């Protein structure tokens, strides 16, 4: 049963893998559109605060538990308590995380498939293959199924190769390119006429919205989703971190990098939308709300790229490559969660576990594709607004209440010998015990009222 566990080869490798997981469609698409439909800078402001006061401490809980246990979420949470009943709850939370993340993967792969399809469409445009390009950009169940399928194949290919030769290697290759493409696109879009109006929309706060429960819930959901929390992803990545690393520091770096990509993406998407508007492209829907969901990426932006002439094809290619890269380094971290459990706990070979679980998730995707109107939004909301924060609540309870405080300290001390005298140890333990669970509960209660 005890196969040799993977480990990231260096701090850089871990940072690329963990930010690769965190930075995804949630940052480049979810965040800007959430901000646009929730009072611009009011959302940005709430999000940044929540990222530090809630998401960072929750991220630390997962990283620390993971590195301590050197195991998947089910075994790690089970092992934190000596009471059989509590251990069973821990295993249950681990399982619920596994199911949640598999469902997240199943809708994520559909959107990612669109990104691939649009990327190929811009290649077809370059080759002047008009009918191919039209097929690729026309929504349809066949296209969706084919490209979600291709996206699964890429994900499976990387995860099969393991922690170091798959996840770390590909994240380290892809993440630097992601940053580069993002910066180039921002600089370009900001030079276009009309971009400043979008900047204003993004950066001037509508403070009447700050106390809106829906805004706070969206910002919390966004923060949890963006840092890949609550489902054991960061726990499993933490379990692959060497005992020499200073966990509070590298967790902080991941949070800051993740947030900065979200904030940067806002500088790209919102100005791009106002440029589109200036060019006569509709950016508000019939109710007067900014077009935010899938239509933003699959109709507003492509319409804008089309108007840019031949140069627009390259911009489109860069943009959809950016999206595909961001998606892929995230999806591999999702698939790794159930895979690590089946490999470590059930003694299944990695290859077999990856293929079986990949096919399972792909089947759920197909079900959603063929019942899109019925299932898509429902699965997204169930997993990201309900399951993730709820499971995050349990992770905080396990780190704060169930786990023995001395064992916790001993774990953080590895790689950070003088942690006891630092700020982190003075604040975080009571914080994860009281404040994090209370914030999550408060947001839920507010929502029910
Ligand atoms: N954080 C990624 C994004 O912003 C998505 C992601 C990766 C994720 N792993 C996860 C979301 C686990 C929830 C749970 O797009």
């Amino acid at each position: 049963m005890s196969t040799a566990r993977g480990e990231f080869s260096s701090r850089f490798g871990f940072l690329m893998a963990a930010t690769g997981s965190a930075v995804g469609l949630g940052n480049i698409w979810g965040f800007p559109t959430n901000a646009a439909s929730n009072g611009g800078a009011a959302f940005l402001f709430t999000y940044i605060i929540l990222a530090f006061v809630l998401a960072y401490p929750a991220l630390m809980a997962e990283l620390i538990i993971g590195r301590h246990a050197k195991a998947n979420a089910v075994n790690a949470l089970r092992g934190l308590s000596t009471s059989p009943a509590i251990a069973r709850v821990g295993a249950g939370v681990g399982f619920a995380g596994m199911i949640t993340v598999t469902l997240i993967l199943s809708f994520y792969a559909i959107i990612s498939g669109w990104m691939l399809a649009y990327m190929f469409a811009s290649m077809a445009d370059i080759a002047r293959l008009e009918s191919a390009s039209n097929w690729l950009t026309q929504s349809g169940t066949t296209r969706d199924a084919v490209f979600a399928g291709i996206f699964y194949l890429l994900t499976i290919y990387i995860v099969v190769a393991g922690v170091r030769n798959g996840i770390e290697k590909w994240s380290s290759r892809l993440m630097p390119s992601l940053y580069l493409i993002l910066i180039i696109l921002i600089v370009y879009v900001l030079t276009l006429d009309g971009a400043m109006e979008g900047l204003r929309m993004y950066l001037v706060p509508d403070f009447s919205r700050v106390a809106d429960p829906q805004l706070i819930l969206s910002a919390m959901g966004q923060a949890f989703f963006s840092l890949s929390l609550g489902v054991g992803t960061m726990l499993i990545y933490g379990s692959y971190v060497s005992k020499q690393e200073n966990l509070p520091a590298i967790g902080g770096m991941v949070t800051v990098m993740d947030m900065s990509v979200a904030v940067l993406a806002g500088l790209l998407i919102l100005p791009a939308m106002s440029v589109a508007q200036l060019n006569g492209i509709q950016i508000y829907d019939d109710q007067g709300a900014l077009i935010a969901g899938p239509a933003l990426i699959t109709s507003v932006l492509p319409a804008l790229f089309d108007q840019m002439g031949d140069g627009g094809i390259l911009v489109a290619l860069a943009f959809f490559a950016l999206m595909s890269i961001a998606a892929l380094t995230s999806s591999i971290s999702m698939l790794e969660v159930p895979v690590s459990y089946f490999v470590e706990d059930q003694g299944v070979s990695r290859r077999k576990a990856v293929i079986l679980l990949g096919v399972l998730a792909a089947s759920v995707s197909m079900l959603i594709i063929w019942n899109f109107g019925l299932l898509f939004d429902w699965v997204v909301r169930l997993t990201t607004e309900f399951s993730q924060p709820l499971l995050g609540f349990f992770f905080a309870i396990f780190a704060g209440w169930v786990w023995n405080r001395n064992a916790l300290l001993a774990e953080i001390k590895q790689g950070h010998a003088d942690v006891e005298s630092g700020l982190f140890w003075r604040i975080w333990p009571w914080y994860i015990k009281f404040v994090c669970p209370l914030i999550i509960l408060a947001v839920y209660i507010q929502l029910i009222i």
Side-chain angles (χ1 to χ4, degrees), residues 30 128 182 194 293 304 324 427:
R128 307 273 173 224
L182 181 60
L304 172 65
S324 304
I427 296 178

Side-chain angles (χ1 to χ4, degrees), residues 24-36 108 110-112 114-115 222 261-262 265-266 269 291-298 301 319-320 323 326 376:
L25 301 175
N27 300 60
I28 304 180
W29 172 354
F31 174 78
T33 58
N34 247 324
Y108 206 80
I110 299 175
I111 310 175
S112 309
W114 298 340
M115 301 303 113
Q222 179 66 36
V261 173
I269 303 287
I291 296 177
L296 167 65
I297 306 287
T298 56
L301 295 182
F319 179 75
F320 289 109
M323 293 297 243
F376 186 80

Side-chain angles (χ1 to χ4, degrees), residues 81-94:
S81 167
T82 47
S83 137
I86 297 180
R88 234 172 287 134
V89 175
V93 172

